[in-house]
């Protein structure tokens, strides 16, 4: 069982049981994965489990009857379910919880029903029902129960199947038999039951001599064995899937009657088989059932030849009742097996793979009975021929031709072009899917490889290349699985190599991934310097005021002016302006299938318009079949990584611009430089933080993970491995860059916001200084300056500098600038300590060892160590309290 299936089943179980709190699904999933066992429940343990459950049940007869009914219908995973239930019965604690849970759910459903259903008036308790009324009520209830359990009429079933097939293939309707085939019961070969009972014979058989009775019954039996009523033996009408029963003249001698009753089951088998053949031969029931009925028809011919030979003996007066019993013995076992198979297929409503599973299981169950096993093997081989023809086309050419929906692989109408448009499109997973109940039990282990083989070849075919497996051989059913397993393995290996070589060599998958890495993971440094310099003014505007064609033109210019010009796929890079900032986008993704999902989706949009920098992202054009690997989901992950790093780079540039503008203050002799030094120190701490975070993401997360993926791609044996390695690379990058943890993401977002607000504050202050200086330094000289004018100019500059220093001191004291810087410092320090503390917790508890390197880089001199230790002690004290 795959990890995804375990997740799905655990969550389903918890929702059905209405379990809340506790460790949640993850705790149970970890526990299940630790205690997984490769062993399969055996028949012996299932049998003992059935006995235990019968003993535990309050109505063991009903339980055993239901078990046998499900077993006769060939229900999948019945024995493992019984085994699980027996284990639950042994666990008293679990059993008590389930009983309490069932009681609570029944009470809640009863309350719901009481409020929504209509109340019915009951007769008064004082009134009594007569026996006649009680009998009528019992008959009505019996009729309702019988009608609810009765199978649908054959013509209704055929119409439903026909409509289903025609809906799937509207352009190719399946052929149907003409109506007169079903309207003439004499053509069916089974008993024709007349609505009026036959009249009494002229002479009662009981009044005849014993020898005459025997001869008359031999003649009757020969008629009954081929589906024709006799004079003294008549068939009763059947309803649905009942076995045929017969009425024998009551005056018949008891000894003769006993022998007749031994032979009559053969006639009942004949009736069951004939009805099955005539019904399942219709096109609507599929090719497998049609092939099975054809094989049964061949065996029935041998049976009819035997009856004809017996009739010849009877005409010669050489056939007695004892001889008939003797001659019918070998055929009786064959007819019993055929009737049993027919009944099981009919009850289980089996088609295609489920029919083959039933036949295969019967073949193995008859181990030790060579005659019965040979018969079942013959039927299974004959029935599997059309199924294996579909299988051969799928594994050798990647084509599905399954007009009756019998094959294990089902095709869905999905467009491959949507992979680039729809984030939720799952073309690779949902275009072709496995239908569990159509998998023959002897192909269960190979089902995934069969699915993958056809999918691989189908991708190459859709690219306009005709592919056929060179090792193609006819697949035949055999009790030795190795024969067709080897054929499937060869086809799988060929398909894997063909598609992998096609993507890697002809479509240059690795080169494409490198191109995406250049832009989305900011691999080309000089390109981004050019691009950010060119687009700085444009991206400062609100997103609604930005002209996308202008951005596209600037992107093209930056690509041509940098080393990215050598990239052959650079023209596939596009501009994309997103409707949300990166933090909102990430929180929306992380909130999927959580309690916060509705709150985040339904939250009112912010009134603050997005700037171009917040909405900016790259997009990439990927065509089929590379879009299987680089699909919209993968591109969205790349975009989230890029937007996160791009915003960090933007904040770094803002801090660097503050550093450049602060150079002007060196020429002023400020009387109170305390606040100025604090601002410079805070700026440097912020810059150190942003640069170290960028270094960590690029050189300690993305680059090593990329090299691991590249090495894995070299050893990949099929496209599923490539998909797995690529997805794993993106998931690891998102996780190690702190983008999958909402708590870390919120802290990091606040830190970036503090940095941006600090830079805006410093730039406003610097701008006011420059404006004041320009107003003071405006000169009035005409022509070249004289020596006296030079002296005046120098004096003016000295006075301007003195005035600016006094102005700055007054400005910072009046506006509380020192308090503002102090506030920025305390907020930044508090958030940074919180981030380091959370990183320390996650790196220890969740074994996220890569994140601990951020702590070492940001706390390289132990500046925060003492505070972090103090926070850890306080946390442990709170936990103990």
């Amino acid at each position: 069982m795959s990890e995804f299936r375990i997740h799905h089943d655990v969550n389903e179980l918890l929702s059905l049981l209405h379990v809340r709190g506790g460790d949640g699904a993850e705790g149970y999933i970890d526990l299940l994965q630790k205690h997984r066992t490769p062993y399969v429940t055996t028949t012996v343990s299932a049998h003992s489990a059935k006995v235990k459950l019968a003993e535990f049940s309050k109505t063991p007869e009903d339980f055993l009857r239901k078990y046998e009914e499900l077993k006769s219908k060939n229900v999948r995973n019945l024995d493992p379910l019984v085994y699980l239930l027996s284990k639950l019965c042994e666990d008293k604690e679990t059993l008590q919880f389930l009983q309490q849970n069932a009681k609570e759910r029944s009470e809640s459903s009863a309350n719901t029903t009481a409020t929504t259903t209509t109340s019915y008036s009951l007769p008064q308790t004082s009134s009594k029902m007569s026996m006649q009324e009680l009998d009528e009520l019992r008959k009505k209830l019996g009729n309702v129960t019988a009608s609810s359990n009765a199978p649908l009429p054959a013509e209704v079933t055929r119409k439903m199947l026909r409509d289903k097939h025609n809906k799937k293939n509207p352009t190719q309707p399946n052929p149907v038999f003409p109506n007169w085939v079903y309207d003439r019961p004499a053509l069916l070969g089974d008993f024709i039951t007349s609505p009026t009972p036959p009249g009494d014979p002229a002479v009662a058989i009981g009044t005849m001599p014993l020898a005459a009775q025997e001869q008359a019954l031999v003649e009757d039996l020969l008629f009954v064995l081929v589906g024709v009523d006799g004079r003294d033996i008549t068939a009763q009408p059947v309803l649905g899937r009942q076995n045929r029963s017969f009425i024998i003249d009551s005056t018949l001698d008891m000894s003769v009657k006993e022998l007749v009753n031994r032979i009559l089951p053969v006639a009942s088998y004949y009736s069951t088989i004939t009805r099955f053949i005539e019904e399942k031969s219709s096109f609507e029931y599929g090719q497998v059932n049609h092939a099975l009925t054809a094989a049964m028809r061949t065996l029935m011919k041998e049976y009819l030849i035997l009856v004809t030979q017996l009739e010849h003996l009877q005409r010669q007066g050489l056939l007695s009742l004892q001889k008939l019993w003797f001659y019918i013995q070998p055929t009786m076992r064959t007819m019993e097996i055929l009737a049993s198979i027919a009944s099981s297929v009919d009850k289980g409503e089996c088609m295609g793979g489920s029919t083959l599973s039933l036949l295969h299981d019967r073949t193995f169950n008859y181990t030790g009975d060579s005659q019965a096993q040979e018969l079942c093997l013959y039927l299974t081989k004959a029935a599997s021929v059309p199924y294996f023809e579909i299988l051969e086309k799928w594994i050798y050419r990647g084509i599905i031709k399954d007009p009756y929906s019998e094959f294990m692989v089902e095709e869905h109408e999905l467009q491959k072009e949507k992979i680039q448009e729809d984030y939720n499109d799952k073309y690779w997973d949902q275009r072709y899917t496995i239908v569990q109940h159509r998998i023959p039990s002897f192909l269960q282990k190979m089902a995934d490889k069969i699915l993958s083989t056809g999918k691989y070849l189908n991708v190459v075919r859709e690219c306009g290349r005709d592919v056929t497996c060179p090792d193609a051989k006819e697949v035949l059913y055999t009790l030795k699985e190795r024969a067709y397993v080897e054929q499937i393995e060869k086809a799988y290996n060929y398909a894997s190599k063909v598609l992998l070589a096609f993507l890697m060599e002809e479509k240059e998958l690795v080169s494409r991934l490198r191109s995406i890495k250049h832009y989305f993971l900011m691999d080309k440094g000089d390109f981004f310097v050019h691009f950010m310099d060119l687009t700085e003014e444009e991206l400062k505007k609100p997103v609604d005021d930005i002209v996308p064609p202008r951005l596209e033109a600037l992107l093209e210019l930056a690509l041509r002016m940098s080393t990215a010009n050598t990239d052959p796929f650079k023209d596939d890079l596009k501009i994309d302006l997103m409707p949300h900032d990166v933090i909102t986008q990430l929180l929306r993704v992380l909130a999927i299938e959580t309690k916060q999902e509705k709150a985040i989706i339904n939250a009112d949009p912010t009134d603050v318009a997005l700037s171009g920098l917040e909405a900016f992202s790259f997009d990439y054009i990927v065509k089929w079949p590379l879009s299987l690997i680089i699909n919209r989901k993968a591109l969205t992950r790349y975009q989230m990584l890029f937007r996160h790093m791009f915003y960090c780079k933007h904040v770094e540039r803002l801090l660097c611009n503050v550093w450049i503008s602060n150079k002007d203050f060196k020429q002023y002799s400020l009387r109170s430089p305390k606040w100025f030094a604090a601002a410079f120190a805070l700026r440097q701490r912020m810059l150190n933080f942003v640069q170290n975070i960028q270094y960590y993401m690029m050189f300690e997360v993305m680059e090593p993970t990329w090299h691991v993926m590249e090495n894995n791609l070299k050893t990949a044996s099929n496209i599923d491995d490539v998909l797995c390695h690529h997805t794993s690379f993106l998931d690891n990058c998102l996780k190690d860059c702190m983008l999958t943890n909402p708590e870390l993401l919120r802290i990091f977002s606040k830190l970036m916001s503090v940095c941006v607000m600090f830079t805006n504050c410093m730039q406003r202050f610097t701008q006011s200084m420059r404006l004041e200086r320009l107003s003071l330094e405006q000169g009035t000289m005409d022509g070249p300056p004289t020596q006296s004018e030079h002296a005046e100019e120098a004096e003016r500059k000295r006075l301007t500098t003195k005035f600016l220093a006094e102005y700055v001191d007054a400005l910072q004291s009046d506006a509380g600038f020192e308090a503002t810087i102090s506030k920025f410092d305390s907020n930044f320090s508090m958030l940074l300590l919180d981030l380091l503390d959370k990183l320390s917790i996650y790196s220890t508890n969740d074994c996220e060892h890569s994140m601990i390197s951020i702590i070492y880089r940001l706390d390289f001199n132990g500046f925060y160590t003492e505070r972090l230790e103090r926070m850890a002690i306080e946390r442990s004290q709170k936990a103990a309290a």
Side-chain angles (χ1 to χ4, degrees), residues 622-687:
V622 188
K623 295 181 181 178
W624 177 265
L626 289 176
S627 52
L628 283 174
I629 309 297
I630 313 168
N631 51 29
R632 176 49 54 187
K633 189 173 288 187
L635 281 173
T636 302
R637 289 176 172 139
Y638 276 117
Q639 283 181 332
M640 288 191 288
L641 287 167
F642 167 75
R643 296 181 74 190
H644 185 59
M645 294 173 60
F646 187 77
Y647 195 71
C648 289
K649 179 63 70 174
H650 164 64
V651 174
E652 182 193 7
R653 285 169 64 91
L654 291 178
L655 290 167
C656 289
N657 289 337
V658 171
W659 177 81
I660 292 171
S661 63
N662 286 347
K663 293 292 183 182
D664 295 341
F665 291 96
K666 288 186 176 180
Q667 56 185 308
Y668 307 135
S669 55
L670 303 176
R671 291 193 297 274
S672 54
K674 180 181 177 182
W675 66 271
F676 213 51
F680 282 15
L682 179 57
R683 181 210 64 218
Q684 197 58 35
R685 285 174 58 208
M686 289 180 173
L687 192 59

Side-chain angles (χ1 to χ4, degrees), residues 29 46 95 107 118 131 156 365 380 418 550 553 679 792 848 862:
I29 290 163
L95 193 61
E107 289 174 355
T118 308
M131 290 302 295
V156 176
N365 289 340
T380 312
K418 286 190 176 180
R550 177 172 172 79
E792 290 177 5
E848 302 292 349

